[in-house]
Amino acid sequence: MGRIDKHNYYLDLAEGVLARGTCLRRNHGAIIVKNDEIIATGYAGAPRGRKNCVDLGFCKREKLNIPRGERYELCRSVHAEQNAIISARRADMIGATMYLVGKDKKTGELATNTESCTMCKRVTINSGISTVIIRNTQKDYRIVNVNEYIENDDSME
């Protein structure tokens, strides 16, 4: 068995982080890495001191049949990307890479077409992170240059 490549190594770690997530729909794990050092980690969960969806036993967005990608202001959680960014100094994030993995809570399968929401893209832009690497399958991933979030401003649609 050969040595795992660096991107999949960090994606595996992000996948471990998502196991702490408290979302009933989809959990994500994020790791910020710079110069081969982990700067911060994050997973989806309610703000400190508030009850998580798993504690309440329901997801408001699911209860209202809100489709994926819509009405995130109703989401109880702080997203994985946001939690990772909150936990790091901006000076450490400039030029860093964020690794992102998502899993469907009900099936336990990797989430297909994982993508940061519009709010997380904004926070990522301002953090100074330059690259986001997103797991597609257990071995395949895509690399997103954060400048694409700026050039393809989905908040203007």
mmCIF file of all heavy atoms in Angstrom, residues 18 26-29 68 81 99-104 109-117 121 132-136 142 144 149:
data_model
loop_
_atom_site.group_PDB
_atom_site.id
_atom_site.type_symbol
_atom_site.label_atom_id
_atom_site.label_comp_id
_atom_site.label_asym_id
_atom_site.label_seq_id
_atom_site.Cartn_x
_atom_site.Cartn_y
_atom_site.Cartn_z
ATOM 1 N N LEU A 18 -15.612 16.382 10.937
ATOM 2 C CA LEU A 18 -17.058 16.499 10.696
ATOM 3 C C LEU A 18 -17.868 15.576 11.597
ATOM 4 O O LEU A 18 -19.056 15.800 11.819
ATOM 5 C CB LEU A 18 -17.404 16.295 9.227
ATOM 6 C CG LEU A 18 -17.412 14.902 8.593
ATOM 7 C CD1 LEU A 18 -18.603 14.071 8.966
ATOM 8 C CD2 LEU A 18 -17.352 15.057 7.092
ATOM 9 N N ARG A 26 -26.775 17.560 7.007
ATOM 10 C CA ARG A 26 -25.472 17.357 6.385
ATOM 11 C C ARG A 26 -24.406 17.956 7.294
ATOM 12 O O ARG A 26 -24.553 19.075 7.771
ATOM 13 C CB ARG A 26 -25.471 18.071 5.034
ATOM 14 C CG ARG A 26 -24.214 17.911 4.271
ATOM 15 C CD ARG A 26 -24.382 18.376 2.846
ATOM 16 N NE ARG A 26 -25.174 17.390 2.133
ATOM 17 C CZ ARG A 26 -26.150 17.681 1.293
ATOM 18 N NH1 ARG A 26 -26.464 18.909 1.044
ATOM 19 N NH2 ARG A 26 -26.811 16.726 0.691
ATOM 20 N N ASN A 27 -23.368 17.189 7.537
ATOM 21 C CA ASN A 27 -22.270 17.684 8.364
ATOM 22 C C ASN A 27 -21.034 17.908 7.523
ATOM 23 O O ASN A 27 -20.748 17.136 6.602
ATOM 24 C CB ASN A 27 -21.964 16.695 9.492
ATOM 25 C CG ASN A 27 -22.953 16.839 10.620
ATOM 26 O OD1 ASN A 27 -23.112 17.930 11.165
ATOM 27 N ND2 ASN A 27 -23.635 15.775 10.975
ATOM 28 N N HIS A 28 -20.335 18.972 7.839
ATOM 29 C CA HIS A 28 -19.096 19.315 7.150
ATOM 30 C C HIS A 28 -17.977 19.470 8.170
ATOM 31 O O HIS A 28 -18.220 19.874 9.303
ATOM 32 C CB HIS A 28 -19.248 20.628 6.367
ATOM 33 C CG HIS A 28 -20.127 20.492 5.180
ATOM 34 N ND1 HIS A 28 -21.485 20.601 5.251
ATOM 35 C CD2 HIS A 28 -19.831 20.226 3.885
ATOM 36 C CE1 HIS A 28 -21.999 20.416 4.043
ATOM 37 N NE2 HIS A 28 -21.015 20.189 3.205
ATOM 38 N N GLY A 29 -16.792 19.150 7.713
ATOM 39 C CA GLY A 29 -15.598 19.383 8.502
ATOM 40 C C GLY A 29 -14.645 20.221 7.681
ATOM 41 O O GLY A 29 -14.511 20.020 6.468
ATOM 42 N N ARG A 68 -31.741 22.468 -0.359
ATOM 43 C CA ARG A 68 -30.313 22.699 -0.146
ATOM 44 C C ARG A 68 -29.894 23.981 -0.845
ATOM 45 O O ARG A 68 -30.329 24.264 -1.964
ATOM 46 C CB ARG A 68 -29.542 21.508 -0.712
ATOM 47 C CG ARG A 68 -28.069 21.643 -0.580
ATOM 48 C CD ARG A 68 -27.389 20.404 -1.119
ATOM 49 N NE ARG A 68 -25.956 20.623 -1.128
ATOM 50 C CZ ARG A 68 -25.150 20.174 -2.052
ATOM 51 N NH1 ARG A 68 -25.628 19.453 -3.039
ATOM 52 N NH2 ARG A 68 -23.881 20.423 -1.992
ATOM 53 N N GLU A 81 -16.811 25.963 7.830
ATOM 54 C CA GLU A 81 -15.839 26.935 7.334
ATOM 55 C C GLU A 81 -15.761 28.137 8.269
ATOM 56 O O GLU A 81 -14.677 28.617 8.595
ATOM 57 C CB GLU A 81 -16.235 27.432 5.927
ATOM 58 C CG GLU A 81 -16.358 26.357 4.885
ATOM 59 C CD GLU A 81 -17.783 25.877 4.668
ATOM 60 O OE1 GLU A 81 -18.515 25.681 5.668
ATOM 61 O OE2 GLU A 81 -18.170 25.671 3.511
ATOM 62 N N TYR A 99 -9.417 22.762 3.690
ATOM 63 C CA TYR A 99 -9.878 21.459 3.230
ATOM 64 C C TYR A 99 -11.290 21.261 3.754
ATOM 65 O O TYR A 99 -11.559 21.503 4.938
ATOM 66 C CB TYR A 99 -8.954 20.356 3.749
ATOM 67 C CG TYR A 99 -7.596 20.408 3.100
ATOM 68 C CD1 TYR A 99 -6.593 21.229 3.599
ATOM 69 C CD2 TYR A 99 -7.322 19.662 1.961
ATOM 70 C CE1 TYR A 99 -5.345 21.298 3.004
ATOM 71 C CE2 TYR A 99 -6.076 19.718 1.347
ATOM 72 C CZ TYR A 99 -5.103 20.543 1.879
ATOM 73 O OH TYR A 99 -3.872 20.605 1.271
ATOM 74 N N LEU A 100 -12.211 20.817 2.874
ATOM 75 C CA LEU A 100 -13.624 20.731 3.223
ATOM 76 C C LEU A 100 -14.195 19.382 2.800
ATOM 77 O O LEU A 100 -14.025 18.963 1.657
ATOM 78 C CB LEU A 100 -14.389 21.865 2.542
ATOM 79 C CG LEU A 100 -15.883 21.979 2.801
ATOM 80 C CD1 LEU A 100 -16.159 22.283 4.273
ATOM 81 C CD2 LEU A 100 -16.479 23.072 1.916
ATOM 82 N N VAL A 101 -14.876 18.725 3.745
ATOM 83 C CA VAL A 101 -15.536 17.452 3.470
ATOM 84 C C VAL A 101 -16.946 17.515 4.043
ATOM 85 O O VAL A 101 -17.150 18.023 5.152
ATOM 86 C CB VAL A 101 -14.778 16.270 4.115
ATOM 87 C CG1 VAL A 101 -15.488 14.950 3.839
ATOM 88 C CG2 VAL A 101 -13.339 16.214 3.638
ATOM 89 N N GLY A 102 -17.910 16.998 3.290
ATOM 90 C CA GLY A 102 -19.292 16.944 3.759
ATOM 91 C C GLY A 102 -19.850 15.536 3.662
ATOM 92 O O GLY A 102 -19.486 14.770 2.766
ATOM 93 N N LYS A 103 -20.721 15.197 4.603
ATOM 94 C CA LYS A 103 -21.412 13.910 4.589
ATOM 95 C C LYS A 103 -22.890 14.111 4.865
ATOM 96 O O LYS A 103 -23.270 14.934 5.701
ATOM 97 C CB LYS A 103 -20.854 12.966 5.658
ATOM 98 C CG LYS A 103 -19.607 12.250 5.247
ATOM 99 C CD LYS A 103 -19.284 11.146 6.238
ATOM 100 C CE LYS A 103 -18.118 10.321 5.736
ATOM 101 N NZ LYS A 103 -17.774 9.254 6.701
ATOM 102 N N ASP A 104 -23.711 13.334 4.162
ATOM 103 C CA ASP A 104 -25.144 13.312 4.408
ATOM 104 C C ASP A 104 -25.377 12.630 5.751
ATOM 105 O O ASP A 104 -24.883 11.524 5.988
ATOM 106 C CB ASP A 104 -25.849 12.557 3.283
ATOM 107 C CG ASP A 104 -27.342 12.584 3.438
ATOM 108 O OD1 ASP A 104 -27.861 11.765 4.242
ATOM 109 O OD2 ASP A 104 -27.997 13.412 2.781
ATOM 110 N N GLU A 109 -23.081 8.861 3.697
ATOM 111 C CA GLU A 109 -22.311 8.946 2.456
ATOM 112 C C GLU A 109 -21.720 10.338 2.288
ATOM 113 O O GLU A 109 -22.278 11.323 2.776
ATOM 114 C CB GLU A 109 -23.203 8.631 1.250
ATOM 115 C CG GLU A 109 -23.806 7.242 1.264
ATOM 116 C CD GLU A 109 -22.769 6.152 1.080
ATOM 117 O OE1 GLU A 109 -21.835 6.346 0.270
ATOM 118 O OE2 GLU A 109 -22.889 5.104 1.756
ATOM 119 N N LEU A 110 -20.593 10.399 1.564
ATOM 120 C CA LEU A 110 -20.028 11.701 1.231
ATOM 121 C C LEU A 110 -21.078 12.512 0.485
ATOM 122 O O LEU A 110 -21.782 11.980 -0.381
ATOM 123 C CB LEU A 110 -18.786 11.550 0.362
ATOM 124 C CG LEU A 110 -17.538 11.052 1.075
ATOM 125 C CD1 LEU A 110 -16.439 10.753 0.056
ATOM 126 C CD2 LEU A 110 -17.035 12.076 2.087
ATOM 127 N N ALA A 111 -21.184 13.780 0.827
ATOM 128 C CA ALA A 111 -22.136 14.660 0.156
ATOM 129 C C ALA A 111 -21.650 14.928 -1.262
ATOM 130 O O ALA A 111 -20.473 15.199 -1.478
ATOM 131 C CB ALA A 111 -22.270 15.969 0.925
ATOM 132 N N THR A 112 -22.554 14.811 -2.203
ATOM 133 C CA THR A 112 -22.191 15.086 -3.589
ATOM 134 C C THR A 112 -22.288 16.586 -3.839
ATOM 135 O O THR A 112 -23.129 17.277 -3.262
ATOM 136 C CB THR A 112 -23.116 14.334 -4.569
ATOM 137 O OG1 THR A 112 -24.469 14.692 -4.293
ATOM 138 C CG2 THR A 112 -22.956 12.831 -4.422
ATOM 139 N N ASN A 113 -21.428 17.073 -4.671
ATOM 140 C CA ASN A 113 -21.415 18.501 -5.038
ATOM 141 C C ASN A 113 -21.278 19.424 -3.838
ATOM 142 O O ASN A 113 -21.918 20.473 -3.773
ATOM 143 C CB ASN A 113 -22.669 18.868 -5.830
ATOM 144 C CG ASN A 113 -22.817 18.048 -7.082
ATOM 145 O OD1 ASN A 113 -21.843 17.776 -7.772
ATOM 146 N ND2 ASN A 113 -24.030 17.615 -7.368
ATOM 147 N N THR A 114 -20.436 19.036 -2.868
ATOM 148 C CA THR A 114 -20.207 19.908 -1.718
ATOM 149 C C THR A 114 -19.669 21.246 -2.198
ATOM 150 O O THR A 114 -18.793 21.308 -3.055
ATOM 151 C CB THR A 114 -19.213 19.259 -0.730
ATOM 152 O OG1 THR A 114 -19.844 18.113 -0.171
ATOM 153 C CG2 THR A 114 -18.820 20.214 0.382
ATOM 154 N N GLU A 115 -20.232 22.297 -1.666
ATOM 155 C CA GLU A 115 -19.860 23.663 -2.041
ATOM 156 C C GLU A 115 -20.139 24.561 -0.851
ATOM 157 O O GLU A 115 -21.128 24.375 -0.154
ATOM 158 C CB GLU A 115 -20.724 24.101 -3.239
ATOM 159 C CG GLU A 115 -20.417 25.462 -3.776
ATOM 160 C CD GLU A 115 -19.154 25.511 -4.610
ATOM 161 O OE1 GLU A 115 -18.834 24.523 -5.284
ATOM 162 O OE2 GLU A 115 -18.488 26.559 -4.571
ATOM 163 N N SER A 116 -19.287 25.505 -0.612
ATOM 164 C CA SER A 116 -19.552 26.472 0.455
ATOM 165 C C SER A 116 -20.754 27.320 0.081
ATOM 166 O O SER A 116 -20.956 27.658 -1.094
ATOM 167 C CB SER A 116 -18.334 27.379 0.655
ATOM 168 O OG SER A 116 -17.244 26.652 1.147
ATOM 169 N N CYS A 117 -21.560 27.663 1.081
ATOM 170 C CA CYS A 117 -22.695 28.550 0.836
ATOM 171 C C CYS A 117 -22.173 29.966 0.571
ATOM 172 O O CYS A 117 -20.998 30.261 0.791
ATOM 173 C CB CYS A 117 -23.654 28.521 2.022
ATOM 174 S SG CYS A 117 -23.078 29.393 3.498
ATOM 175 N N LYS A 121 -18.556 31.598 1.590
ATOM 176 C CA LYS A 121 -17.647 32.114 0.559
ATOM 177 C C LYS A 121 -17.197 33.525 0.922
ATOM 178 O O LYS A 121 -16.013 33.855 0.790
ATOM 179 C CB LYS A 121 -18.325 32.113 -0.811
ATOM 180 C CG LYS A 121 -18.483 30.734 -1.409
ATOM 181 C CD LYS A 121 -19.200 30.797 -2.737
ATOM 182 C CE LYS A 121 -19.397 29.419 -3.331
ATOM 183 N NZ LYS A 121 -20.148 29.465 -4.601
ATOM 184 N N VAL A 132 -9.407 26.425 -1.653
ATOM 185 C CA VAL A 132 -10.282 25.496 -0.943
ATOM 186 C C VAL A 132 -10.240 24.175 -1.702
ATOM 187 O O VAL A 132 -10.431 24.148 -2.911
ATOM 188 C CB VAL A 132 -11.733 26.019 -0.849
ATOM 189 C CG1 VAL A 132 -12.623 25.017 -0.138
ATOM 190 C CG2 VAL A 132 -11.781 27.371 -0.154
ATOM 191 N N ILE A 133 -9.952 23.102 -0.986
ATOM 192 C CA ILE A 133 -9.907 21.772 -1.591
ATOM 193 C C ILE A 133 -11.067 20.977 -1.012
ATOM 194 O O ILE A 133 -11.189 20.831 0.209
ATOM 195 C CB ILE A 133 -8.550 21.089 -1.340
ATOM 196 C CG1 ILE A 133 -7.454 21.951 -1.985
ATOM 197 C CG2 ILE A 133 -8.556 19.658 -1.878
ATOM 198 C CD1 ILE A 133 -6.057 21.425 -1.824
ATOM 199 N N ILE A 134 -11.941 20.498 -1.903
ATOM 200 C CA ILE A 134 -13.197 19.869 -1.510
ATOM 201 C C ILE A 134 -13.203 18.409 -1.952
ATOM 202 O O ILE A 134 -12.956 18.106 -3.126
ATOM 203 C CB ILE A 134 -14.388 20.613 -2.150
ATOM 204 C CG1 ILE A 134 -14.351 22.098 -1.766
ATOM 205 C CG2 ILE A 134 -15.705 19.970 -1.735
ATOM 206 C CD1 ILE A 134 -15.317 22.970 -2.552
ATOM 207 N N ARG A 135 -13.503 17.523 -1.026
ATOM 208 C CA ARG A 135 -13.554 16.088 -1.327
ATOM 209 C C ARG A 135 -14.809 15.766 -2.137
ATOM 210 O O ARG A 135 -15.911 16.145 -1.761
ATOM 211 C CB ARG A 135 -13.536 15.278 -0.034
ATOM 212 C CG ARG A 135 -13.727 13.785 -0.274
ATOM 213 C CD ARG A 135 -13.278 12.943 0.884
ATOM 214 N NE ARG A 135 -11.841 12.701 0.760
ATOM 215 C CZ ARG A 135 -11.094 12.207 1.735
ATOM 216 N NH1 ARG A 135 -11.628 11.909 2.893
ATOM 217 N NH2 ARG A 135 -9.807 12.010 1.549
ATOM 218 N N ASN A 136 -14.610 15.064 -3.261
ATOM 219 C CA ASN A 136 -15.723 14.573 -4.080
ATOM 220 C C ASN A 136 -16.005 13.103 -3.792
ATOM 221 O O ASN A 136 -17.153 12.694 -3.678
ATOM 222 C CB ASN A 136 -15.416 14.737 -5.570
ATOM 223 C CG ASN A 136 -15.341 16.184 -5.989
ATOM 224 O OD1 ASN A 136 -16.055 17.030 -5.458
ATOM 225 N ND2 ASN A 136 -14.476 16.488 -6.928
ATOM 226 N N ARG A 142 -11.586 18.376 -5.667
ATOM 227 C CA ARG A 142 -11.410 19.497 -6.603
ATOM 228 C C ARG A 142 -10.766 20.649 -5.856
ATOM 229 O O ARG A 142 -10.964 20.824 -4.645
ATOM 230 C CB ARG A 142 -12.711 19.877 -7.272
ATOM 231 C CG ARG A 142 -13.762 20.478 -6.417
ATOM 232 C CD ARG A 142 -15.057 20.674 -7.257
ATOM 233 N NE ARG A 142 -16.093 21.283 -6.509
ATOM 234 C CZ ARG A 142 -16.851 20.673 -5.614
ATOM 235 N NH1 ARG A 142 -16.656 19.414 -5.339
ATOM 236 N NH2 ARG A 142 -17.802 21.337 -4.977
ATOM 237 N N VAL A 144 -10.329 24.676 -5.624
ATOM 238 C CA VAL A 144 -10.987 25.936 -5.973
ATOM 239 C C VAL A 144 -10.088 27.083 -5.549
ATOM 240 O O VAL A 144 -9.696 27.180 -4.382
ATOM 241 C CB VAL A 144 -12.362 26.054 -5.267
ATOM 242 C CG1 VAL A 144 -13.030 27.379 -5.625
ATOM 243 C CG2 VAL A 144 -13.258 24.881 -5.600
ATOM 244 N N TYR A 149 -14.439 32.780 -6.234
ATOM 245 C CA TYR A 149 -15.572 33.261 -5.439
ATOM 246 C C TYR A 149 -15.797 34.757 -5.686
ATOM 247 O O TYR A 149 -16.929 35.230 -5.620
ATOM 248 C CB TYR A 149 -15.324 33.052 -3.945
ATOM 249 C CG TYR A 149 -15.272 31.622 -3.467
ATOM 250 C CD1 TYR A 149 -14.776 31.343 -2.194
ATOM 251 C CD2 TYR A 149 -15.720 30.553 -4.223
ATOM 252 C CE1 TYR A 149 -14.737 30.039 -1.705
ATOM 253 C CE2 TYR A 149 -15.662 29.253 -3.754
ATOM 254 C CZ TYR A 149 -15.173 29.003 -2.488
ATOM 255 O OH TYR A 149 -15.130 27.722 -1.993
#
